[in-house]
Amino acid sequence: MEDRQPLAPQVRFYPPAPGLRDLVTAYYFVDVPPGRQLDHLHPEWANIRFVVEGAWKWRMSDDAPWFSTPAGLWGPTDRTGTIVTDGGLVVGFGLTPLGWSRLIGVSAEPHANAAIDLGEVWGPAAAEMLSSLLETADDVARVAALDARLGPRAQAAAIVDPAVGRAAGTLLTGDIRSIDAFARQVGVSTRTLDRLCRRVFGFAPKRLLRRQRFLRTLERIGGRADLPLGAVLDEGYADQAHFNREFRAFMGMTPSAYYRLPRNVLRRAAESRLAVIGQPLQGLYGAPGQA
């Protein structure tokens, strides 16, 4: 009898409608065949996720309770999270910091590294969006349903302080090394910057700069653990030992332990995101050089 390999997870990405691309990083469909899959998320901006098929659970640390909901809002993160499923389909999308301001409209800091039922902030609109996804049978129709519901919501949202866009752009340039330089680039005082970052990005400026530095290096490494790290480390790291400490702080394990993991879902997500969106990591969406 022929030996058949188990089906691999599929992660499919689609860009949102042009008018939503400053707010939504991408739509994604995580389609996992029957069989247990566990993977580790990278630090990233906020996400909204809908469980279309199967049972899915998430948690942000080994001692945290598992979280599961049909329609959920995940705040911005500065550490790894764990996802586990026995198979099924999740439809989700990432929110840029501007998207958080326009589409969520509450302070991000209380939601950092946490998840809640989307209905707590969107009310009945959360269940309505989930229903529209359940009523459609293919990716094209679901993308259209997401565009149709998010477009009017974005148009009705309040205008956001232009400093939010300047701060997001500054974070993505990768050449800011101090809080003072960050504030000057945004055109605000360091105190105002601190309040803005906590409200919109979920974290204090120093933590954000550390997180973005880590993500830039993670992007350069890609899926290869055999690269000489000295050649790809961000200039903000003193040496490889410094990066190793930061890797453990953000991912909860050493680089070698992480790259020994199968990463069946996240590895495919990075490949698909890069091919479709031009950026393998959601937390670097909009960075210079993105296709």
Side-chain angles (χ1 to χ4, degrees), residues 8-280:
Q10 294 184 24
V11 187
R12 304 182 295 275
F13 282 85
Y14 301 93
L20 291 168
R21 291 179 191 176
D22 285 343
L23 311 181
V24 174
T25 61
Y27 300 138
Y28 53 85
F29 296 69
V30 185
D31 199 348
V32 177
R36 183 177 174 84
Q37 291 285 345
L38 183 148
D39 215 328
H40 298 274
L41 302 169
H42 304 124
E44 57 187 358
W45 302 129
N47 283 268
I48 290 175
R49 299 182 176 110
F50 300 94
V51 176
V52 177
E53 296 173 4
W56 298 71
K57 297 187 295 184
W58 293 262
R59 68 179 180 185
M60 291 309 301
S61 65
D62 289 342
D63 55 357
W66 288 99
F67 175 78
S68 180
T69 184
L73 170 66
W74 281 255
T77 60
D78 69 348
R79 65 195 68 171
T80 187
T82 305
I83 181 173
V84 64
T85 182
D86 289 320
L89 173 66
V90 158
V91 174
F93 54 90
L95 295 173
T96 67
L98 183 60
W100 177 277
S101 297
R102 296 281 302 277
L103 297 173
I104 304 301
V106 300
S107 174
E109 189 172 29
H111 297 281
N113 296 318
I116 61 171
D117 190 281
L118 182 60
E120 292 186 31
V121 290
W122 272 13
E128 291 166 4
M129 184 172 281
L130 175 60
S131 293
S132 69
L133 295 173
L134 293 172
E135 291 166 1
T136 54
D138 59 67
D139 290 6
V140 173
R142 286 173 175 144
V143 166
L146 291 168
D147 281 341
R149 292 194 173 271
L150 289 175
R153 190 174 192 90
Q155 291 174 4
I159 299 299
V160 175
D161 183 348
V164 172
R166 294 198 299 271
T170 299
L171 275 175
L172 293 173
T173 63
D175 58 0
I176 301 299
R177 306 295 177 188
S178 72
I179 306 304
D180 287 341
F182 191 0
R184 284 196 301 272
Q185 195 77 13
V186 179
V188 298
S189 69
T190 54
R191 180 172 295 183
T192 298
L193 180 69
D194 185 81
R195 290 196 299 266
L196 182 149
C197 286
R198 292 176 187 272
R199 184 180 77 252
V200 177
F201 300 89
F203 304 101
K206 183 177 181 180
R207 185 66 176 174
L208 283 171
L209 291 176
R210 283 181 61 196
R211 191 193 80 156
Q212 296 308 106
R213 178 180 63 188
F214 170 73
L215 290 176
R216 287 194 299 271
T217 299
L218 198 63
E219 178 196 22
R220 293 172 187 171
I221 296 171
R224 295 186 57 191
D226 58 338
L227 287 174
L229 290 184
V232 296
L233 291 182
D234 185 89
E235 294 176 1
Y237 291 116
D239 50 31
Q240 186 169 331
H242 183 193
F243 172 70
N244 289 345
R245 291 193 298 272
E246 289 287 88
F247 197 104
R248 184 182 287 275
F250 285 109
M251 296 298 294
M253 66 189 84
T254 64
S256 58
Y258 174 74
Y259 284 105
R260 283 197 300 269
L261 296 173
R263 296 178 292 117
N264 287 329
V265 176
L266 267 291
R267 178 166 48 82
R268 289 176 171 84
E271 293 166 354
S272 179
R273 180 187 291 278
L274 178 61
V276 176
I277 307 300
Q279 175 52 254

